[in-house]
Amino acid sequence: MFEVGEYIVHPGQGVCRVDEVVDTPQQTYMLMPVSGRHPIRISYPVSGEARLRPIVSHDEAEELISEYAELGLIEYRGRGGALEEEFFRTEIRNGSCRDTIAVVKTFRSRIAEVKSHNKKPPVAYERILKQACERSLSELSIALEMPVDEVIALFAAQDPSFVENN
């Protein structure tokens, strides 16, 4: 069971802080998302906590950033754009921070490839990249106890092209 004040990753809302645990009528976490324009407190049943996960540790976050350059791309190509988008959205929702960073790297590469042919990347690519960036950067920001801009700078030190699209 997660403790009050602990940060966790909610599949739909991203990084949240556990504000309290309410016992009536069933045990429920009261979660406050840390990002978003107008975050509102959400309730989540303790019985479903298997879908929640703790954020990465400080050491794991540093390791993920240092390994960014060596991280491989995800080689998934769906039959249609909608299937492909759904695959990556599911990866972002249910995957680890490493999985989300791999999605970021994959779509940075795909967008760069399309732009190299003087074409405009599909809106779905940009939408997935934005969602994966927000999810991974907010988690790493909390784990490293630093603003998102400083986390981006750490990634840029590993890969100078990282600052593009941010």
Side-chain angles (χ1 to χ4, degrees):
M1 189 160 158
F2 297 108
E3 302 293 323
V4 172
E6 192 173 351
Y7 288 96
I8 54 97
V9 179
H10 180 280
Q13 300 298 318
V15 179
C16 298
R17 184 183 69 248
V18 178
D19 274 353
E20 66 178 307
V21 180
V22 180
D23 286 327
T24 55
Q26 64 178 9
Q27 275 196 318
T28 305
Y29 291 118
M30 299 308 291
L31 306 173
M32 178 57 83
V34 298
S35 61
R37 289 187 181 190
H38 306 289
I40 57 171
R41 202 162 100 156
I42 56 175
S43 59
Y44 195 85
V46 171
S47 61
E49 78 177 346
R51 294 191 60 216
L52 303 174
R53 67 173 175 81
I55 65 168
V56 294
S57 70
H58 186 276
D59 293 339
E60 290 170 324
E62 287 178 337
E63 184 179 321
L64 286 171
I65 292 169
S66 68
E67 293 175 351
Y68 179 76
E70 293 86 36
L71 192 63
L73 302 178
I74 299 172
E75 297 296 329
Y76 180 85
R77 297 276 182 181
R79 290 188 156 208
L83 290 174
E84 189 173 45
E85 186 172 359
E86 185 58 33
F87 170 82
F88 284 104
R89 283 179 179 260
T90 301
E91 193 74 12
I92 293 167
R93 281 187 124 100
N94 301 328
S96 66
C97 189
R98 179 180 299 279
D99 296 334
T100 306
I101 293 170
V103 172
V104 169
K105 188 167 184 178
T106 299
F107 279 89
R108 284 188 183 285
S109 172
R110 286 185 181 189
I111 289 170
E113 180 183 334
V114 170
K115 285 183 176 180
S116 73
H117 297 294
N118 293 324
K119 295 188 178 184
K120 187 174 179 353
V123 173
Y125 282 17
E126 293 172 349
R127 189 171 41 237
I128 293 168
L129 175 61
K130 180 181 178 186
Q131 185 180 17
C133 276
E134 288 174 356
R135 177 72 60 104
S136 59
L137 290 173
S138 66
E139 182 171 355
L140 293 171
S141 171
I142 297 294
L144 296 171
E145 299 175 357
M146 62 176 56
V148 170
D149 293 342
E150 290 181 29
V151 176
I152 291 171
L154 292 174
F155 274 111
Q158 296 296 319
D159 181 3
S161 68
F162 190 88
V163 291
E164 295 172 19
N165 298 325
N166 274 323

